[in-house]
Amino acid sequence: MATGVLVVAGALLYDVVAVRLGQPARQWRAQIADELATRHLDDPRVLVGAGAATLLGGWLLWLAVAPGLRRWLVLRPYGGTTAAIDRAGVGHLLADRAAGLDGIDHLRVRVGRRRVRVSMVGVADPALVQRQLRDELGRVGLGRPMRLDVRAARGAAGVVGEDPGGGAGVGTGAGAAGGEGVTG
């Protein structure tokens, strides 16, 4: 379809440039211009053409706002075939891998089209978590490498929020996610 539109637009552009340079218009263009100038708006051909143009415009508008393949990540081609994996599936793979690591109290994985963001709460070493998740991403076999951002906040077992009496703070709710402990 795109090739057809390109050919028609190129032919029309060629004819318009030729007319601007002083040559007469091609016969097909002159005939179309004459038909459009002499037909009435209530002619069935005009109404069918307007309806077809409206349907085509509506379809193109729907294609413009439809999600398409944005939620899919392309995998490396293998044996002449191409495949894709859902971004949520990649997020679940990474979350399952991180669930097996010690010291993670809470984990949130967001997979974008070019980047994976991991937010974790706990005492686990963020560099170790990032290495493990990068290895898991490598096993997925994505067609293009993704950036991996791991952000960590200390959780209930962390040092943050330790009270001066020697007892460790207990993190709750949003304060734990933000790295602030509530002492009590």
Side-chain angles (χ1 to χ4, degrees):
M1 171 137 176
T3 305
V5 170
L6 183 65
V7 168
V8 169
L12 186 60
L13 179 64
Y14 175 78
D15 192 46
V16 168
V17 170
V19 168
R20 293 285 184 188
L21 292 176
Q23 296 180 355
R26 300 282 185 248
Q27 181 181 359
W28 60 270
R29 184 168 158 231
Q31 185 179 359
I32 290 174
D34 185 48
E35 287 286 326
L36 289 174
T38 58
R39 292 223 183 256
H40 293 285
L41 292 178
D42 60 351
D43 187 355
R45 288 184 183 176
V46 173
L47 293 175
V48 168
T54 301
L55 287 176
L56 179 66
W59 179 59
L60 291 174
L61 185 63
W62 180 79
L63 286 177
V65 298
L69 300 176
R70 288 187 294 222
R71 59 180 257 203
W72 295 94
L73 297 172
V74 178
L75 298 173
R76 280 188 293 248
Y78 181 76
T81 61
T82 57
I85 187 171
D86 189 34
R87 291 190 314 191
V90 172
H92 288 299
L93 285 172
L94 295 176
D96 286 346
R97 176 69 176 130
L101 299 175
D102 291 330
I104 297 179
D105 297 331
H106 177 72
L107 183 77
R108 181 172 152 193
V109 177
R110 290 184 302 170
V111 179
R113 289 165 58 184
R114 294 187 178 99
R115 178 175 26 182
V116 177
R117 293 183 188 119
V118 177
S119 302
M120 61 175 238
V121 176
V123 296
D125 181 26
L128 173 69
V129 173
Q130 186 163 6
R131 278 193 304 272
Q132 296 291 328
L133 295 181
R134 189 170 311 282
D135 290 344
E136 188 68 24
L137 266 178
R139 281 189 214 100
V140 172
L142 296 173
R144 141 170 120 184
M146 297 188 74
R147 199 167 106 193
L148 179 64
D149 294 334
V150 175
R151 304 220 173 180
R154 296 286 180 192
V159 178
V160 176
E162 184 176 330
D163 90 291
V170 178
T172 59
E180 301 172 3
V182 178
T183 60

